[in-house]
Amino acid sequence: MKKRVSLKDIAQEAGVSTALVSYVLTNKEEKARVGREMANKIRKIARKLNYQPNYLARSLKSGRTDTIGLIVADISNPFFGQIARIVEDEAKRHNITVIFGSSDENAEKSADLINVLLNRQVDGLIVIPSEGSEQQILQLSERHFPFVLMDRPFPSIAASSISINNFGASYNAVEHLLRTGRKRIGMIAYQTSLHHIAERRRGFEVALANAGLKTEKRLKLARYSHLREDIRKAIDQLTGGKHPADALFFATNSLAIEGLRYISELGIRVPEQLAVVSFDESEAFDLFHAPVTFIRQPIREMGKAAVQLLLSQIADSERPPEDIRIDAELVVRRSSAAN
Amino acid sequence: MKKRVSLKDIAQEAGVSTALVSYVLTNKEEKARVGREMANKIRKIARKLNYQPNYLARSLKSGRTDTIGLIVADISNPFFGQIARIVEDEAKRHNITVIFGSSDENAEKSADLINVLLNRQVDGLIVIPSEGSEQQILQLSERHFPFVLMDRPFPSIAASSISINNFGASYNAVEHLLRTGRKRIGMIAYQTSLHHIAERRRGFEVALANAGLKTEKRLKLARYSHLREDIRKAIDQLTGGKHPADALFFATNSLAIEGLRYISELGIRVPEQLAVVSFDESEAFDLFHAPVTFIRQPIREMGKAAVQLLLSQIADSERPPEDIRIDAELVVRRSSAAN
């Protein structure tokens, strides 16, 4: 078998020290005092000899790669973009680099990404799981691979997770609408088996039931794959008929934004004709003619806690899972003002 | 030296085929018909023998990892989130997985990420570079590592890049404002050395000069690190005094959103008192009381082209760099309607 090309081989051919070669090949040449010409010569030799960096060996030495993986459910949703940024900022404080992927709400893509990131030897994973990815998460758990679920817990799996109290946040939002005098409150949620959305729906139903109001036909579900069309239909149904809704509660920011586009098109006045409340944050909520009342998820706190919990798990793989539930805050603005 | 533990060793101890072990350890156990109990047994043996997957060997065999890296400038900006999603969708069509990182407009973080992704043996990189990262990009180029710059070219570096015609888009936007009768047009841009922003500023200045108008004091710069404060100051200056601006042109979506927040607070009527045009897209632009006229970057086309260009480079590392410049479209809406 051909001997593996080492840094020493390159150093000998270039007539420099092994340390210098190492600096250049790990792109840290500013640390050594090496001119661009020499750096290029070293790289040229490395290419000629077909040098392959033995990253695996490097990481086996320390046992760590100081890299964690983050899998979000859909990177085109600014909510997850914000979370990614916060996780990165927090990881950076611990000198950890984050590489991430987006499952785009697709379980198959999620499996690919978990594989790719594990093969890349990340020390641990933070996952905002997509629907149908329970098996993948279960496998991580059975392998004792360090990971933390964020935003969306799987109650059937004993795993560390960080999420808000979705039931409570939803219940509070509906109570707020009731207090402002609304009686015909509709909700638009995703059609999904994911637990956090089920909890948001349950909060809506229990709050209405406790107020002696019926929920049938007031809860509409939209498919992720047919968002625009399903939301328009739901709003038509909820705001039409003899008893049109006087308030709409959106289970996520993406549902709300699509809904608000249609509400603007229809010329419905918010909050006079229709109060609006939504989960999550969005820049668009601030610029809507009636700034939108929203449930603020403490994403900074969640992101920090996720990184810290993951790092404790990486340090001690036998650590029992921890389930962190944080209360969310209702930020009341003009879209749900009393008439 | 201790012999490396192989899949065969694990298979023998478990009494199953090597193929089955391989399926389980690459998390593809659904492809083999293996029960959870057996899968767990196999994993337990692998752990006991301290099996380390030889990912490097696996990738050397094919010469490819079928993974590309994407480095965006700030993942919390929905514009880059959208690009990330499009790059992923396009890569997926070629059975390529994307892992990404965000430099958060920080050159040091960018260097870390390039290292981490190269060490993870991605086949190539798509980079939306941050200010001050020229040296890193130059190194990639000198190493003949396949990469494509997106959105922000470095004209001093011979590298493949995909971007819009920033000068032309900016020129057109200002001409549009002039045609609607505006004469005192202000621009707010980032204070940065990045070429694409310089081109946007130049388009503004040349368009005004060609119309015989002066630009001094009409162009204001905001620092990325002091966004809110600098934008408020700029808007106060531009809309105050004896000759208040009758139009504002924002060089990016993040500048526009912060600016529109302040314009709403001040109670300035758009477009009656002040026309508004911005680069980039945003959900918030749709929901503003006067939907905002914007320069639509063809990000779907750009994302597709970036992936295809990168794949051609990976296939042929001697391929000369290609510079793709795409025209952007001005989407005229109410925020810049003629009075």
Side-chain angles (χ1 to χ4, degrees):
Chain A
M1 199 181 121
K2 214 177 127 194
K3 194 176 143 283
R4 190 185 183 94
V5 176
S6 70
L7 293 179
K8 210 174 150 193
D9 300 328
I10 301 169
Q12 274 173 354
E13 181 146 348
V16 298
S17 72
T18 312
L20 194 71
V21 173
S22 169
Y23 276 130
V24 170
L25 296 184
T26 55
N27 300 319
K28 288 175 190 145
E29 56 208 69
E30 66 282 5
K31 287 199 186 158
R33 292 206 186 137
V34 52
R36 191 185 294 173
E37 210 171 313
M38 178 51 84
N40 284 341
K41 185 178 167 192
I42 291 170
R43 287 209 181 86
K44 219 169 157 184
I45 293 170
R47 270 200 304 280
K48 192 186 74 183
L49 300 177
N50 195 22
Y51 168 74
Q52 295 288 347
N54 192 350
Y55 182 65
L56 196 70
R58 228 186 285 163
S59 63
L60 281 178
K61 221 168 167 182
S62 71
R64 298 274 169 78
T65 63
D66 290 334
T67 311
I68 61 173
L70 168 67
I71 298 177
V72 300
D74 178 5
I75 197 59
S76 71
N77 182 336
F79 178 69
F80 296 124
Q82 292 280 357
I83 286 181
R85 174 71 194 251
I86 289 163
V87 165
E88 276 202 318
D89 285 346
E90 181 62 17
K92 180 81 186 161
R93 292 203 320 113
H94 297 273
N95 290 316
I96 303 278
T97 303
V98 183
I99 51 182
F100 40 103
S102 169
S103 65
D104 301 340
E105 303 285 3
N106 176 322
E108 191 203 337
K109 222 165 168 176
S110 163
D112 280 357
L113 275 171
I114 290 179
N115 272 322
V116 164
L117 291 175
L118 293 197
N119 282 335
R120 260 46 178 198
Q121 268 113 34
V122 293
D123 294 333
L125 282 178
I126 296 174
V127 185
I128 301 172
S130 57
E131 190 179 12
S133 64
E134 286 93 334
Q135 275 303 316
Q136 301 157 25
I137 302 300
L138 196 59
Q139 281 181 24
L140 288 177
S141 163
E142 285 170 349
R143 294 171 68 172
H144 297 280
F145 186 81
F147 73 98
V148 172
L149 296 179
M150 201 171 158
D151 187 42
R152 307 173 170 185
F154 282 131
S156 61
I157 301 177
S160 286
S161 74
I162 286 156
S163 57
I164 60 160
N165 176 350
N166 283 291
F167 172 82
S170 191
Y171 190 101
N172 286 345
V174 175
E175 262 206 327
H176 158 71
L177 286 168
L178 291 167
R179 270 198 309 275
T180 65
R182 271 77 181 191
K183 292 209 157 48
R184 297 182 306 278
I185 304 169
M187 180 179 195
I188 301 181
Y190 275 117
Q191 182 180 310
T192 173
S193 63
L194 285 166
H195 180 70
H196 71 300
I197 298 290
E199 283 293 281
R200 293 177 189 183
R201 298 199 298 237
R202 197 169 65 87
F204 168 77
E205 290 172 332
V206 173
L208 284 192
N210 284 355
L213 296 170
K214 289 183 180 166
T215 59
E216 27 171 359
K217 294 187 185 167
R218 294 263 178 235
L219 174 62
K220 303 289 179 192
L221 302 183
R223 291 163 295 174
Y224 185 75
S225 54
H226 293 72
L227 194 59
R228 188 162 183 272
E229 142 195 9
D230 286 359
I231 287 177
R232 289 177 172 237
K233 202 173 140 197
I235 291 179
D236 284 340
Q237 290 173 343
L238 288 168
T239 62
K242 272 189 196 168
H243 304 290
D246 52 18
L248 272 189
F249 178 33
F250 292 98
T252 75
N253 61 346
S254 41
L255 292 164
I257 284 162
E258 202 50 55
L260 290 171
R261 276 204 188 101
Y262 191 46
I263 287 169
S264 293
E265 256 181 67
L266 294 174
I268 295 175
R269 289 191 315 279
V270 176
E272 296 80 3
Q273 287 175 276
L274 189 71
V276 170
V277 174
S278 177
F279 257 90
D280 310 331
E281 251 167 285
S282 165
E283 289 168 337
F285 292 171
D286 299 348
L287 295 185
F288 191 63
H289 70 88
V292 178
T293 296
F294 65 97
I295 294 165
R296 174 184 284 151
Q297 300 208 38
I299 52 177
R300 187 155 294 278
E301 201 178 336
M302 287 164 74
K304 280 183 132 179
V307 172
Q308 283 162 11
L309 193 49
L310 183 60
L311 294 182
S312 330
Q313 270 195 48
I314 291 169
D316 173 11
S317 64
E318 298 302 314
R319 198 183 149 99
E322 203 172 322
D323 213 343
I324 299 178
R325 198 71 50 88
I326 305 177
D327 277 329
E329 175 197 5
L330 184 72
V331 179
V332 176
R333 303 200 291 182
R334 203 150 61 80
S335 75
S336 64
N339 283 331
Chain B
M1 201 182 118
K2 213 177 128 197
K3 194 177 142 284
R4 191 184 182 93
V5 175
S6 71
L7 293 178
K8 208 174 152 193
D9 300 329
I10 301 168
Q12 274 173 355
E13 181 147 348
V16 298
S17 72
T18 313
L20 195 70
V21 173
S22 169
Y23 276 130
V24 170
L25 296 185
T26 54
N27 300 319
K28 289 176 190 146
E29 56 208 69
E30 66 280 4
K31 287 199 186 160
R33 292 206 186 139
V34 52
R36 190 185 295 172
E37 210 170 313
M38 178 52 83
N40 284 341
K41 186 180 164 190
I42 290 170
R43 288 209 181 85
K44 220 169 155 184
I45 293 171
R47 271 200 302 280
K48 193 187 73 183
L49 300 178
N50 194 22
Y51 168 74
Q52 296 287 349
N54 193 351
Y55 181 64
L56 195 68
R58 227 186 286 164
S59 62
L60 281 178
K61 222 170 167 181
S62 69
R64 299 273 170 78
T65 62
D66 290 333
T67 311
I68 60 173
L70 168 68
I71 298 177
V72 300
D74 179 4
I75 197 59
S76 71
N77 183 335
F79 177 70
F80 297 123
Q82 293 280 358
I83 287 181
R85 175 69 194 253
I86 289 163
V87 166
E88 277 202 317
D89 285 346
E90 180 63 16
K92 180 81 187 161
R93 292 203 320 114
H94 298 273
N95 289 317
I96 303 278
T97 303
V98 184
I99 51 182
F100 38 103
S102 168
S103 65
D104 301 340
E105 304 285 3
N106 176 322
E108 191 204 338
K109 222 165 167 175
S110 163
D112 280 357
L113 275 170
I114 290 179
N115 271 323
V116 164
L117 291 175
L118 292 196
N119 281 334
R120 259 51 177 194
Q121 268 113 36
V122 293
D123 295 332
L125 282 178
I126 295 174
V127 185
I128 302 171
S130 57
E131 190 181 11
S133 64
E134 286 93 333
Q135 274 305 315
Q136 302 157 26
I137 302 301
L138 195 59
Q139 281 180 26
L140 288 177
S141 164
E142 285 170 349
R143 294 171 68 174
H144 297 279
F145 186 81
F147 73 98
V148 173
L149 295 180
M150 200 172 159
D151 186 43
R152 306 173 171 186
F154 283 131
S156 60
I157 302 177
S160 286
S161 74
I162 286 155
S163 57
I164 60 161
N165 176 350
N166 283 291
F167 173 82
S170 192
Y171 190 99
N172 286 344
V174 175
E175 262 207 327
H176 159 72
L177 286 168
L178 291 167
R179 270 198 308 276
T180 65
R182 271 77 182 192
K183 293 208 155 47
R184 295 183 307 278
I185 304 169
M187 180 179 195
I188 300 181
Y190 275 117
Q191 182 180 312
T192 174
S193 63
L194 284 167
H195 179 70
H196 72 301
I197 298 289
E199 283 293 282
R200 294 178 189 182
R201 297 199 298 237
R202 195 168 67 86
F204 168 77
E205 289 171 333
V206 173
L208 284 192
N210 285 354
L213 295 170
K214 288 183 181 166
T215 59
E216 28 171 356
K217 293 187 185 167
R218 293 265 178 233
L219 173 61
K220 302 291 179 191
L221 302 182
R223 292 163 295 175
Y224 185 75
S225 54
H226 292 72
L227 194 59
R228 189 164 184 270
E229 145 195 7
D230 286 359
I231 288 177
R232 288 175 173 238
K233 203 173 140 196
I235 291 179
D236 284 342
Q237 291 173 343
L238 289 167
T239 62
K242 271 191 198 167
H243 305 289
D246 52 18
L248 271 190
F249 179 33
F250 292 98
T252 75
N253 61 347
S254 42
L255 292 164
I257 284 162
E258 202 52 53
L260 290 171
R261 276 204 188 101
Y262 190 47
I263 287 169
S264 292
E265 256 181 69
L266 294 173
I268 295 175
R269 289 191 315 278
V270 176
E272 296 79 4
Q273 288 175 274
L274 189 70
V276 171
V277 174
S278 177
F279 257 89
D280 309 331
E281 249 167 288
S282 166
E283 289 167 338
F285 292 172
D286 299 346
L287 295 184
F288 190 63
H289 69 89
V292 177
T293 296
F294 65 97
I295 293 165
R296 175 184 283 151
Q297 300 208 38
I299 51 176
R300 187 155 294 279
E301 201 179 337
M302 288 164 73
K304 281 183 131 178
V307 171
Q308 284 162 10
L309 193 49
L310 183 61
L311 294 182
S312 330
Q313 271 195 47
I314 291 169
D316 172 11
S317 64
E318 297 303 314
R319 198 184 150 97
E322 202 172 323
D323 213 344
I324 299 177
R325 198 71 50 88
I326 305 177
D327 276 329
E329 173 197 6
L330 184 71
V331 180
V332 175
R333 303 200 291 181
R334 202 150 63 80
S335 75
S336 64
N339 281 331

